[in-house]
């Protein structure tokens, strides 16, 4: 992405850590959680690679069309899986946003790195609104519920890969990362 190197590297670290946690979540005994975690790990690592500052690495011209193909496939998979759960519609929007950003980077005149004004303003604005709403809603869902007791939760604490609040925090951080990346387009 185009812009200062420090925020870019922070975004890389955030997205890579999120992808790593999603890989840990893939060890869950719940098959639907494993599949969602796999989709989210792909998104996290893909965002980390896309966020590498342009001053550190200029990818070859074939990288962004390959990105579009990989995330286009992920979008088709999310569309197919969305028949069984609406959560996958978010995966569809996320994968489509990655395809869009890869297409913008392919068409960008600055060696494949997007900069302000490169994308379609209406589409970029719509994606920004979607991810801003998603981040706000995800943040509210992380707030503790009044009346919940910590002593019973500690006695029956799930494994790290099965903790719903960590999965929500993971999705929240990816939503924040997506907002940051869309703002640079």
């Amino acid at each position: 992405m185009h812009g200062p190197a420090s925020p870019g590297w922070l975004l890389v670290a955030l997205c890579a850590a999120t992808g790593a946690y999603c890989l840990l979540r893939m060890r869950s005994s719940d098959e639907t959680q494993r599949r969602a975690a796999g989709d989210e790990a792909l998104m996290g690592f893909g965002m980390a690679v896309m966020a590498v500052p342009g001053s550190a690495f200029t990818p070859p011209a074939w990288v962004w069309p390959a990105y579009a193909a990989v995330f286009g496939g992920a979008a088709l998979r999310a569309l197919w899986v969305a028949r069984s759960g609406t959560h996958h519609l978010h995966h569809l929007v996320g994968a489509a946003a990655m395809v869009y950003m890869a297409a913008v980077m392919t068409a960008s005149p600055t060696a494949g790195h997007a900069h302000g004004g490169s994308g379609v303003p209406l589409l970029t604005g719509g994606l920004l609104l979607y991810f801003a709403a998603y981040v706000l809603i995800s943040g509210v869902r992380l707030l503790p519920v009044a009346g919940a007791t910590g002593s019973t939760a500690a006695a029956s604490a799930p494994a790290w890969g099965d903790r719903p609040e960590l999965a929500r925090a993971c999705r929240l951080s990816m939503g924040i990362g997506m907002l940051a990346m869309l703002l640079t387009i």
Side-chain angles (χ1 to χ4, degrees):
M1 301 301 291
H2 186 72
S6 295
W9 286 117
L10 289 172
L11 186 57
V12 169
L14 174 73
C15 293
T18 300
Y21 177 70
C22 290
L23 285 179
L24 179 63
R25 285 181 40 227
M26 288 180 67
R27 297 182 359 189
S28 172
S29 58
D30 181 10
E31 183 177 345
T32 58
Q33 179 148 326
R34 277 196 313 268
R35 287 184 180 163
D39 294 343
E40 291 163 3
L42 173 67
M43 184 67 70
F45 287 126
M47 288 171 61
V49 171
M50 189 177 273
V52 171
S55 60
F57 175 70
T58 301
W62 59 266
V63 168
W64 302 124
Y67 239 76
V70 166
F71 283 98
L76 289 175
R77 182 188 178 287
L79 182 61
W80 178 258
V81 177
R83 298 172 304 131
S84 64
T86 58
H87 173 71
H88 294 284
L89 291 175
H90 172 69
H91 290 164
L92 173 64
V93 173
M98 293 292 281
V99 170
Y100 170 65
M101 288 188 289
V104 168
M105 289 182 180
T106 298
S108 177
T110 58
H113 283 87
H115 58 82
S118 295
V120 178
L122 187 59
L123 183 54
T124 303
L127 288 169
L128 281 169
L129 286 174
Y130 172 81
F131 283 104
Y134 183 81
V135 164
L136 291 173
I137 291 168
S138 296
V140 168
R141 288 182 180 162
L142 281 174
L143 294 174
V145 177
T149 60
S151 60
T152 58
S156 63
W160 280 101
D162 292 327
R163 299 189 60 137
E165 71 278 6
L166 291 177
R168 286 188 201 113
C170 174
R171 293 179 191 122
L172 173 65
S173 66
M174 281 195 291
I176 293 168
M178 191 66 79
L179 272 173
M181 290 170 58
L182 285 166
L183 283 172
T184 64
I185 287 184

